[in-house]
Amino acid sequence: QVQLVESGGGLVQAGGSLRLSCAASGRTFSGNAMGWFRQVPGKEREFVASISWSGASTYYADSVKGRFTISRDSVKNTVYLQMNSLKPEDTAVYYCAAGSRAQVSEYPSAYEYWGQGTQVTVSS
């Protein structure tokens, strides 16, 4: 059974940092792109960042570029999202996703497996 489990969310003040982790089990995703998305109630799920199978290629939403960094440890089957200079508008449930292909993508349809999400709340 494939599982993606996110951790590291929480409450932080504006300007602060959090590091999200996503641990995969049930199969290896070393040949697959991984991504992070976020969602607030009443809105569609929004792309945040994606990383290719090798880690050599990354892609970010304009809203987080320069503040967030996605990385992966293929040995640990884990992907990370380092979030710095957080803003109240970053408040959302953050989801980890495993892609069906090797290359980065901003489209939810390119991802096959999803985690349950972790809440990130940024206070002003």
Side-chain angles (χ1 to χ4, degrees), residues 32-111:
N32 301 78
M34 301 291 290
W36 287 95
F37 290 75
R38 64 188 182 187
Q39 190 170 22
V40 298
K43 292 190 176 181
E44 291 188 356
R45 194 163 293 189
E46 175 190 25
F47 169 74
V48 176
S50 179
I51 187 166
S52 64
W53 71 276
S54 66
S57 179
T58 57
Y59 182 53
Y60 297 92
D62 287 343
S63 58
V64 307
K65 202 172 295 181
R67 300 188 298 122
F68 291 11
T69 302
I70 189 171
S71 61
R72 67 188 300 166
D73 184 331
S74 293
V75 173
K76 295 182 178 179
N77 219 18
T78 300
V79 63
Y80 306 96
L81 186 68
Q82 178 67 44
M83 305 186 296
N84 299 328
S85 302
L86 282 162
K87 305 175 181 179
E89 51 263 43
D90 294 319
T91 295
V93 177
Y94 282 72
Y95 297 91
C96 169
S100 55
R101 299 181 179 182
Q103 297 308 315
V104 299
S105 176
E106 64 184 291
Y107 300 107
S109 59
Y111 296 84

